[in-house]
Amino acid sequence: MKITSTRRLFLAGTGAVGTAAALAACGGQQTAEEQEQQAAEENSKAAEEQSALPSTAWERMEYDEVPEGGTLRRTVSQLPNNWNSAQTDGNLADLSEIRYPMGYDSEIIYSEAGEKSFNPDYVESAELTSEDPQTVVFKYNPEAKWDNGEPMVVEDLISEWNALKGENTEYQIVSSVGWDQIESITQTDDEYSGEIVFSSPFIDWITLVVPTVPKSVTADPETFNTAYASEPTPNKGPFTVESVDTTGGVVTLGHNEHWWGRAPKLEKIIFSVVDQTTAPQSFANGEIDMLDIANGDVLSQAKSRSDADIQTTNGLTWTHLTLNVQGADGKLDDVKVREAIARGIDREAIGQAVVGPLEAPIVLANNFVYMPGQDGYEDSFGGLEYDPEAAGALLDEAGWVLEGDKRTKDGETLDFSIIIPADTKSNSDRARQVQTNLNALGMNVELQTVPPDAYFDDYILPKQFDAVTFSWVGSQYPESTSANLVYPVDSGQNFTNFADDRIGPVNEQLKAAFDIEERHQLANELSTIIAESFVLIPFYATPNIVGVKTGLVNTGASQFESTDWTQVGFKE
């Protein structure tokens, strides 16, 4: 299962520094030059493995050549608990998938190489006119409007800023990143023209130029938090919600009558709630047109369909084990225990079990900002190898003595549980490997299976767990959003209950670093702090593998490139 992150994960810790240094000393010292060379070699190897896959794998067809009509049938794991993506309950990848054809995140166009440009359907112009103070002048396309017919104006952006900047804690927001660095937003020449002045530099300012919802959604906390729990927010794309069948679990999108751009080729897009165990068979039977493939069994079923194409690309998604330092009656609060867990898990075996059958390279992730092979990537752990002996020694140091086949301390055994959603094989495979490895060290790890629709709502979001393993779906802006998963402690994406005072200052410097070398240095400093905490244990980078009905064009598997939903269709 996946959560959309306003980009990724993180946390940092204290105390692990000395332990890590002691372990490194056993293997001899490295000079700075040797460390730099090793990092370059590791990144080169990761880049080579990643380069075996393309960045975009879908079939392309020019807009004028795409036939009109047709219905695209897709699946989600659950209906949204809140249709407001900026509210904590709405921070799910399924909602993002539903909203993309309705203009969510469409104001910026991402190329196959990851290059970014403003979408002229929404923005006529936007430029950085001053660096001190950082100032952005912009003008919206006057034809742009919400699907309720209201124009998209500067007041919408001002209202969204007031809700998301974090000053009013009654707004239950996912993230205040960037918004909290804005000094002012003012309307200038007309209701479509404005100016943003920042109180401190923010490198990813282009993410803050266009509102995601109208001011009616963000006007007050009660409306923001609860008004869209069961009905969609207004959107601004070529499609709009035509109907929601909560009983049958079906969302149907149709043409937005207020859309001002070129007409979409598809007639409808239907999202149905389908259990992950039955979705592969639904695809094999021709009942749905797209299928996310997460394990070998699903791949085999998808290949059994005669009119199916399998698309594989690099991805921005990575899997992990998240530890709640307040879980297990406080037993996970000890950094030595958390490090023992990290060093006692065979991450390569997890990758072999989950990614190996997908016929894709297994690339372990060791950085909390950059993906393997991405410019700037370094190993933040300095070598997180599977080492049961070192893990056992760390547990001994923490006072957890092996008596028979169990670790005990003050009369207690080292027990904790991993929450997994039912009928989700990739989660289960990861959790079982973790259980096997750690129980061999004398821990007592149990797996607790819960209903899929309760996994996030009842356990992860309220932090009612000891450990969980899911996937983070990254964004195109790793440097400015990575700390959000661990900082601050009450961040809507920090599920660890861990805090480190070192993160804040480094994160502020990173968000202001326009120089690429400085940005990489600070990003890796941040990532190292998080690695030292061992509250997030990364596993592997996940390739994007999508099964599509033969003939579907202009959407599918992609690492960076955004889908133009007006151009998606079925060729004849």
Side-chain angles (χ1 to χ4, degrees), residues 137-447:
V137 174
F138 64 89
K139 182 172 184 178
Y140 298 145
N141 182 342
E143 295 184 6
K145 56 182 69 69
W146 305 102
D147 56 13
N148 60 10
E150 294 293 323
M152 188 184 76
V153 295
V154 176
E155 286 186 4
D156 296 323
L157 186 68
I158 293 173
S159 182
E160 186 161 354
W161 165 51
N162 285 326
L164 300 185
K165 62 184 177 181
E167 290 184 2
N168 187 340
T169 57
E170 291 184 19
Y171 284 97
Q172 298 169 6
I173 62 174
V174 173
S175 171
S176 63
V177 170
W179 300 103
D180 58 357
Q181 293 177 243
I182 294 176
E183 179 69 30
S184 65
I185 303 178
T186 54
Q187 179 178 309
T188 54
D189 297 341
D190 53 38
E191 61 183 341
Y192 309 109
S193 304
E195 178 184 81
I196 305 173
V197 178
F198 289 81
S199 57
S200 58
F202 182 62
I203 54 175
D204 292 326
W205 59 268
I206 66 172
T207 62
L208 308 177
V209 172
V210 179
T212 59
V213 288
K215 56 183 178 291
S216 58
V217 176
T218 54
D220 63 83
E222 183 176 358
T223 300
F224 181 89
N225 294 331
T226 64
Y228 298 95
S230 59
E231 64 178 71
T233 63
N235 290 282
K236 57 181 192 310
F239 289 89
T240 188
V241 174
E242 193 173 273
S243 64
V244 179
D245 177 1
T246 55
T247 302
V250 179
V251 177
T252 301
L253 307 186
H255 288 184
N256 173 12
E257 64 178 356
H258 297 291
W259 172 245
W260 61 97
R262 64 185 186 182
K265 295 293 186 174
L266 288 171
E267 186 65 26
K268 295 183 186 298
I269 303 174
I270 296 176
F271 292 89
S272 301
V273 175
V274 179
D275 187 277
Q276 289 192 23
T277 59
T278 58
Q281 191 60 50
S282 295
F283 181 76
N285 294 341
E287 298 165 4
I288 57 177
D289 303 315
M290 295 182 69
L291 176 70
D292 288 330
I293 297 172
N295 60 64
D297 292 343
V298 174
L299 179 61
S300 297
Q301 286 180 281
K303 284 184 171 181
S304 71
R305 178 172 172 170
S306 60
D307 64 336
D309 295 326
I310 308 300
Q311 304 173 352
T312 304
T313 71
N314 286 315
L316 293 175
T317 300
W318 55 282
T319 61
H320 56 94
L321 184 71
T322 289
L323 301 176
N324 181 356
V325 298
Q326 294 182 8
D329 297 323
K331 295 169 185 173
L332 300 179
D333 191 43
D334 188 334
V335 69
K336 290 184 179 179
V337 171
R338 299 197 301 270
E339 183 177 356
I341 291 171
R343 299 189 182 279
I345 295 173
D346 189 344
R347 299 187 300 153
E348 185 72 33
I350 293 175
Q352 289 287 353
V354 180
V355 181
L358 292 173
E359 302 171 9
I362 301 167
V363 183
L364 299 183
N366 290 305
N367 191 288
F368 296 101
V369 180
Y370 301 116
M371 297 293 289
Q374 193 172 13
D375 192 24
Y377 179 91
E378 293 179 4
D379 184 345
S380 298
F381 291 92
L384 183 57
E385 306 297 333
Y386 174 49
D387 191 341
E389 183 176 345
L394 285 162
L395 292 173
D396 290 339
E397 289 178 33
W400 291 96
V401 179
L402 188 62
E403 296 184 0
D405 61 352
K406 296 296 180 185
R407 296 269 175 180
T408 64
K409 181 180 180 181
D410 299 330
E412 293 188 86
T413 53
L414 185 47
D415 306 338
F416 72 91
S417 64
I418 303 174
I419 304 291
I420 57 175
D423 304 322
T424 310
K425 188 176 185 300
S426 57
N427 289 61
S428 177
D429 286 346
R430 291 192 299 269
R432 292 188 189 284
Q433 182 64 46
V434 171
Q435 180 187 44
T436 297
N437 290 152
L438 298 185
N439 284 356
L441 291 173
M443 300 186 192
N444 183 31
V445 179
E446 297 184 348
L447 306 186

Side-chain angles (χ1 to χ4, degrees), residues 6 63 127 211 236:
T6 318
Y63 174 82
E127 62 177 324
K236 57 181 192 310

